[in-house]
């Protein structure tokens, strides 16, 4: 079976579908990206080209195929303690000050948004176990959400390759919180049980039962969206946050020029965004 490159209408159809379903903007000229991500999907369904895949996507009942295509267009790059500074800020200032401000309620809600394969939320869970034994009697709720059901399954399994482990996980934490599982490493049940994973598409309505969040990680996902979408999502994040909570964005992201209701605060080498 020969694999053919796609026609321009097929690329247009795919980029419109992706932006409608996920808000991810595929810039013109990124045809190579669409091809490298979607030709394997086409092949897996016995199709020889993206044009054929596009025809199949338009058939009634193609819901599962649409999900698969959107999933394949997400970038799931992540690592343990990614960029380190936000985690230092959590440990040195954000969590200690929340502990003193929430000492009556003894409740802490943390949201890892667009959590991908789970390294971010498990890093937060390990940091809490490691440095805040006083939270043992609290209701600490770590919610982790992503659009991609496939990546959520991986996150939930808590199983990582040696390469993933080598990227950012300190050796003492590996020894303390992971067990060998064949060629892989599996996170301990103690840490896994601290986290609740759920599917959530940032551009669809959010479940109303989300608790008010003290800490929100929304990192390395806004970069894929248009300015309008970034603004809408940050407005929604603002609404689900405690007024004295803290938001963390990715290193290449900021609220600059978005006219949203957050103040910037530098903690050590990290930038946090505080609801106004
Ligand atoms: C690069 S990863 C970021 C992972 C992690 N936050 C980090 O910084 O390491 C981006 C994630 O955003 C998710 N994503 C993309 N569009 C989304 C949307 N509309 N709603 C929810 N998640 C989305 C992708 O599935 C992917 O797992």
């Amino acid at each position: 079976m020969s694999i053919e490159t796609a026609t321009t209408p097929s690329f247009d159809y795919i980029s419109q579908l992706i932006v409608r379903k996920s808000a991810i903007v595929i810039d013109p000229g990124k045809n190579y990206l669409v091809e490298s991500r979607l030709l394997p999907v086409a092949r897996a369904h016995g199709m020889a080209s993206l044009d054929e895949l596009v025809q199949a996507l338009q058939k009634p009942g193609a819901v599962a195929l649409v999900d698969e295509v959107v999933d394949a267009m997400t970038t799931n790059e992540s690592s343990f303690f990614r960029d380190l500074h936000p985690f230092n800020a959590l440990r040195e200032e954000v969590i200690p000050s929340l502990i003193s401000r929430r000492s009556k309620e003894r409740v802490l809600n943390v949201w890892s948004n667009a959590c991908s394969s789970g390294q971010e939320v498990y890093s937060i869970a390990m940091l809490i176990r490691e440095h805040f034994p006083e939270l043992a009697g609290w209701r600490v709720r770590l919610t982790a959400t992503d659009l991609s059901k496939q990546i959520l399954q991986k996150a939930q399994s808590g199983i990582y390759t040696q390469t993933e482990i080598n990227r950012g996980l300190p050796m003492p934490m590996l020894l303390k919180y992971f067990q060998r599982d064949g060629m892989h490493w599996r996170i301990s049940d103690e840490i896994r049980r601290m986290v609740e994973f759920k599917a959530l598409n940032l551009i669809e309505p959010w479940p109303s039962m989300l608790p008010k969040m003290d800490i929100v990680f929304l990192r390395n996902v806004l970069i894929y969206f248009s300015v309008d979408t970034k603004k809408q999502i940050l407005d929604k994040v603002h609404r689900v946050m405690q007024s004295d909570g803290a938001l963390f964005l990715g290193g290449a992201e900021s609220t600059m020029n978005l006219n949203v209701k957050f103040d910037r605060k530098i903690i050590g080498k990290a930038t946090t965004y505080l609801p106004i």
Side-chain angles (χ1 to χ4, degrees), residues 81 126 130 165 168-178:
F81 296 95
M126 288 185 279
E130 200 63 21
I165 292 290
L169 185 69
M171 182 58 84
M173 288 207 174
L174 173 65
L175 298 176
K176 197 161 171 185
Y177 297 114
F178 286 79

Side-chain angles (χ1 to χ4, degrees), residues 102 107-111 141 208-216 236-243 245:
R102 302 282 187 271
V107 173
L108 197 62
N109 286 300
V110 182
W111 188 6
R141 193 166 159 193
S208 53
M209 72 285 192
L210 275 179
K212 280 276 188 187
M213 297 294 173
D214 298 297
I215 297 168
V216 177
K236 279 165 83 173
V237 168
H238 187 280
R239 287 201 288 277
V240 301
M241 284 184 71
Q242 295 279 13
S243 56

Side-chain angles (χ1 to χ4, degrees), residues 127-147:
L127 181 147
I128 287 175
R129 268 288 171 277
E130 200 63 21
H131 298 286
F132 298 99
E134 63 271 47
L135 286 176
W138 287 42
R139 258 194 69 217
V140 178
R141 193 166 159 193
L142 303 182
T143 305
T145 62
D146 201 282
L147 155 87

